[in-house]
Amino acid sequence: MRGTLTIAWKDFKSLVNSPLFFFLAGACCAIWSLNFLNLLGDFAQRQMFGAESSIHFTVFLSHLSTVNIILLFAIPALTMKLLAEEKKMRTYDLLLTAPITATDIVMGKFLAGYGAALLLLTISFLYPLATSLVSDFHFGPLLTSYFGLSLLLAIYVSVGLFSSSLTQSVMFSVILGVIFILGLWFMSQGINVSDNPTVQTLMQHISLGEQFSGFIRGSLRVSSVVFFVSTAVLFVFLTQRVVESSRWR
Amino acid sequence: MIEVQSLSKNYGDRPAVKNISFKVNKGEVVGFLGPNGAGKTTTMKIITGFMAPSQGEVRVAGFDVFENPLEVKSRIGYLPETPPVYGDMSVEDYLFFVARLRKVPGPQVATYVRDAIDKTNLGDVRKRMIQNLSKGFRQRVGLAQALVSKPEVLILDEPTVGLDPRQMAEIRQLIRQLRGHHTIVLSTHILPEVEASCQRVIIINQGQIVAEDSIEGLLRAQSASRRVDLRVKRPTAQLEAELKGLNGVLRVAAEANPGQYQLEIDNRDETVEQIAHRVVGGNMGLLQLHVQAMGLEDLFIHLVTSEHGGAQ
Ligand SMILES: Nc1ncnc2c1ncn2[C@@H]1O[C@H](COP(=O)(O)OP(=O)(O)O)[C@@H](O)[C@H]1O
Ligand SMILES: [Mg+2]
């Protein structure tokens, strides 16, 4: 446990102090600001013409979708170094010969990456939060959406970490990470390949989009939470197996 | 303290270490000597629990590396071939990190880090980023990292490789100061390192132990023979065979220069006398006859070249 926290804290600090993090945070800010102002402008115009619409399903939903798309690429870039760099710089030797377990190492790395990812998510939350100063709306669906997004990020981080454990090259790690995450998103496309209703239901259940839509509508489904958490745990577990198995080569 | 039993390691189907066994007692400083590719790093990685062996077992302080890896790892400080340092950390932050990673109790961490910095003379650069340090300093940070948790055992893999002579001397001095506080195993492919730092030496070649003794013991065993450098002006074709035939001459090697030979002989004066007699009597023009005791260098070359069909 102490090993986990030691690694988590050290890696979190070096992650958020890295030029890469500043670059990512800056890029996120720029894109989200432009996008959000645009959305808000459109919304205000429609309101002026008397159209009745909810700010949540227009402005916030679009914002969330942009946030998700950007983070989908940013998170693997954030996590790329976590294990790949240790292997390349031979600091892996230090971790693997310290009196800690592979689980300590992987959990520490996960927490560091997740912490940094949540910082980026917090930045994106500032936009709707600022809107609340000038407009009245129900916070409920916004909060469940962000809760859902934070679970989604746990998946992105664990998948990114897993990709990082497979290679010494950070470039390859990012590419793998993005491919895996896109794979998870598009897995539900398989829905059409079979007419079998059980297969269709199954595909619906393992689809990120399907599970995520509940959070956006403002409902907290236990099954969705369980699905997200267990997917993240699965990839952390796979990473742990990869780290553990490095001894046997 | 360290017991290695019938240890083997194959990379794929290529053997790197073949069935080696040795023991290191508490407080000893043991040199692990062998040419590049002999299997030193592989053996050390197995002892530290970084890698699993293909066969055999390793015990440290009575704990099996694979049944109780955490017990073993908490007793070992390890300096790999490349110092495992993070360039983006300061020396001090890095040592704090390693101390915590190695389970130094919270309240003692600061003291342990200070001691490690003092022992390795890193006081002046404690706040500097590691990536801005010279290779010699980086190696010292690597050493500080290995001893920051005050482990019973230190495993140092080629601690002076790639350093300039002055930095080398500094690191050797440091290692000598650590004697008595830790059980130390250090690997090297250069002989002076062993003579400078170790009490006992294990010579390994092509994955096998070819000799194991105290340095005095090895020299004593070697003093049964001596080396002779011989140079004559007009060598005859059969001189080499004649020298070989002399009583007490163990080995004759003709050197590239015509007329120059290197001989290994026993330590009787009569043998030298006979050689001189043969050369002078044959009117070959004796230019040089130099007799000297065999050093460790000769022994090392002898062991790694003759017994196992030549090293790379
Ligand atoms: N990861 C590896 N994969 C394949 N072969 C290796 C690996 N590491 C070392 N070897 C081989 O094993 C042998 C022993 O290597 P090593 O233990 O590094 O020797 P040393 O440290 O004595 O120079 C060498 O022939 C080397 O090429
Ligand atoms: Mg080596």
Side-chain angles (χ1 to χ4, degrees):
Chain A
M1 191 57 202
R2 190 170 157 222
T4 301
L5 294 180
T6 304
I7 292 177
W9 181 232
K10 183 223 132 220
D11 275 335
F12 176 73
K13 274 193 299 186
S14 85
L15 257 186
V16 300
N17 283 321
S18 66
L20 176 75
F21 186 78
F22 280 92
F23 170 75
L24 287 177
C28 286
C29 277
I31 296 170
W32 294 338
S33 300
L34 281 175
N35 181 57
F36 199 78
L37 287 176
N38 257 333
L39 293 168
L40 220 50
D42 284 355
F43 179 73
Q45 228 163 34
R46 255 177 285 141
Q47 290 257 307
M48 265 199 293
F49 290 110
E52 201 53 47
S53 57
S54 134
I55 193 169
H56 181 72
F57 282 104
T58 51
V59 177
F60 294 168
L61 192 53
S62 296
H63 173 62
L64 284 172
S65 125
T66 313
V67 168
N68 177 43
I69 289 173
I70 300 295
L71 289 182
L72 190 154
F73 291 98
I75 301 297
L78 200 62
T79 56
M80 66 184 180
K81 280 187 176 180
L82 285 175
L83 285 163
E85 186 92 339
E86 302 264 6
K87 281 189 269 187
K88 194 163 143 231
M89 303 306 292
R90 317 301 322 213
T91 43
Y92 210 42
D93 299 38
L94 174 66
L95 298 181
L96 288 192
T97 57
I100 52 175
T101 61
T103 312
D104 285 329
I105 298 173
V106 173
M107 281 305 296
K109 297 275 169 190
F110 172 78
L111 290 178
Y114 195 43
L118 288 182
L119 272 186
L120 290 182
L121 190 64
T122 308
I123 295 175
S124 81
F125 187 66
L126 297 178
Y127 297 90
L129 199 64
T131 315
S132 73
L133 296 176
V134 294
S135 160
D136 259 347
F137 58 86
H138 287 301
F139 259 97
L142 183 66
L143 290 181
T144 55
S145 303
Y146 263 91
F147 178 64
L149 213 46
S150 70
L151 293 178
L152 206 51
L153 283 198
I155 296 180
Y156 293 176
V157 171
S158 64
V159 170
L161 185 60
F162 176 61
S163 317
S164 185
S165 75
L166 296 178
T167 168
Q168 292 198 10
S169 142
V170 288
M171 268 319 287
F172 197 49
S173 161
V174 180
I175 294 168
L176 268 184
V178 171
I179 290 176
F180 284 152
I181 294 172
L182 288 177
L184 284 177
W185 270 103
F186 287 109
M187 214 153 59
S188 57
Q189 298 291 310
I191 227 164
N192 303 320
V193 302
S194 166
D195 292 335
N196 188 329
T198 31
V199 174
Q200 290 202 347
T201 326
L202 181 79
M203 293 311 271
Q204 221 157 43
H205 275 290
I206 59 170
S207 144
L208 291 184
E210 180 63 26
Q211 300 282 358
F212 191 51
S213 62
F215 290 105
I216 290 179
R217 287 193 301 270
S219 69
L220 270 181
R221 277 182 299 186
V222 174
S223 64
S224 301
V225 175
V226 169
F227 171 75
F228 281 166
V229 171
S230 46
T231 307
V233 169
L234 171 70
F235 279 96
V236 170
F237 172 76
L238 289 177
T239 313
Q240 193 266 358
R241 297 318 298 163
V242 173
V243 171
E244 184 71 37
S245 74
S246 66
R247 278 187 185 169
W248 300 96
R249 255 174 275 139
Chain B
M1 198 69 192
I2 304 174
E3 290 165 64
V4 174
Q5 261 300 321
S6 337
L7 188 74
S8 299
K9 174 75 189 180
N10 306 323
Y11 290 110
D13 52 8
R14 221 174 138 268
V17 170
K18 304 171 203 156
N19 193 28
I20 67 173
S21 304
F22 63 90
K23 270 188 194 170
V24 178
N25 298 319
K26 195 169 165 56
E28 263 189 316
V29 181
V30 173
F32 211 52
L33 177 66
N36 283 326
K40 304 180 295 291
T41 300
T42 303
T43 310
M44 293 184 139
K45 281 185 171 171
I46 295 171
I47 296 174
T48 54
F50 179 85
M51 202 159 67
S54 306
Q55 260 133 50
E57 62 176 57
V58 176
R59 292 180 162 274
V60 175
F63 294 103
D64 188 284
V65 174
F66 276 82
E67 280 155 27
N68 288 304
L70 298 190
E71 291 289 347
V72 170
K73 289 174 180 180
S74 65
R75 285 171 170 75
I76 294 184
Y78 173 43
L79 172 62
E81 261 173 326
T82 321
V85 294
Y86 297 98
D88 64 348
M89 291 177 97
S90 75
V91 170
E92 198 169 51
D93 285 350
Y94 171 68
L95 291 176
F96 267 94
F97 169 66
V98 178
R100 295 206 178 95
L101 204 60
R102 293 201 182 268
K103 303 270 160 77
V104 173
Q108 267 128 283
V109 170
T111 332
Y112 277 44
V113 168
R114 186 153 23 85
D115 288 353
I117 287 179
D118 286 348
K119 275 186 206 157
T120 49
N121 294 323
L122 284 167
D124 295 340
V125 297
R126 66 203 302 163
K127 301 281 184 206
R128 293 260 297 274
M129 290 281 226
I130 296 176
Q131 64 198 1
N132 300 331
L133 295 180
S134 70
K135 197 165 165 44
F137 269 108
R138 230 181 266 206
Q139 193 72 13
R140 274 201 251 166
V141 175
L143 203 55
Q145 157 294 125
L147 48 89
V148 72
S149 62
K150 308 200 173 168
E152 294 170 57
V153 179
L154 280 180
I155 308 268
L156 311 175
D157 197 353
E158 311 231 8
T160 62
V161 79
L163 300 183
D164 67 36
R166 201 173 54 96
Q167 297 167 328
M168 237 182 227
E170 277 173 10
I171 296 279
R172 282 183 194 151
Q173 173 71 20
L174 253 163
I175 293 171
R176 268 197 299 275
Q177 283 163 5
L178 295 173
R179 255 190 218 170
H181 303 282
H182 311 267
T183 304
I184 303 177
V185 179
L186 73 87
S187 81
T188 174
H189 66 276
I190 45 174
L191 199 76
E193 184 110 334
V194 175
E195 287 177 298
S197 315
C198 308
Q199 299 153 343
R200 195 152 67 86
V201 54
I202 296 171
I203 301 182
I204 174 173
N205 187 39
Q206 300 189 350
Q208 284 170 309
I209 291 180
V210 292
E212 181 184 350
D213 206 342
S214 66
I215 290 186
E216 297 80 43
L218 283 177
L219 285 173
R220 207 176 314 119
Q222 208 53 28
S223 67
S225 60
R226 288 176 295 172
R227 201 177 83 192
V228 176
D229 290 314
L230 174 69
R231 193 146 61 90
V232 300
K233 198 162 181 183
R234 296 175 294 276
T236 59
Q238 62 276 44
L239 177 61
E240 192 176 336
E242 279 176 12
L243 289 172
K244 263 184 193 145
L246 290 179
N247 200 3
V249 173
L250 307 170
R251 200 167 58 87
V252 180
E255 311 239 315
N257 268 350
Q260 184 135 13
Y261 303 88
Q262 198 177 79
L263 293 79
E264 199 180 315
I265 62 169
D266 64 10
N267 52 9
R268 289 178 311 128
D269 286 341
E270 288 76 27
T271 315
V272 183
E273 203 182 325
Q274 273 185 340
I275 295 170
H277 184 253
R278 177 59 45 96
V279 174
V280 175
N283 192 27
M284 293 176 212
L286 178 60
L287 297 175
Q288 185 196 21
L289 180 63
H290 179 66
V291 184
Q292 61 187 27
M294 288 257 226
L296 270 184
E297 194 84 45
D298 303 284
L299 172 68
F300 181 50
I301 290 165
H302 180 80
L303 284 170
V304 302
T305 50
S306 61
E307 288 193 9
H308 289 271
Q312 54 274 64

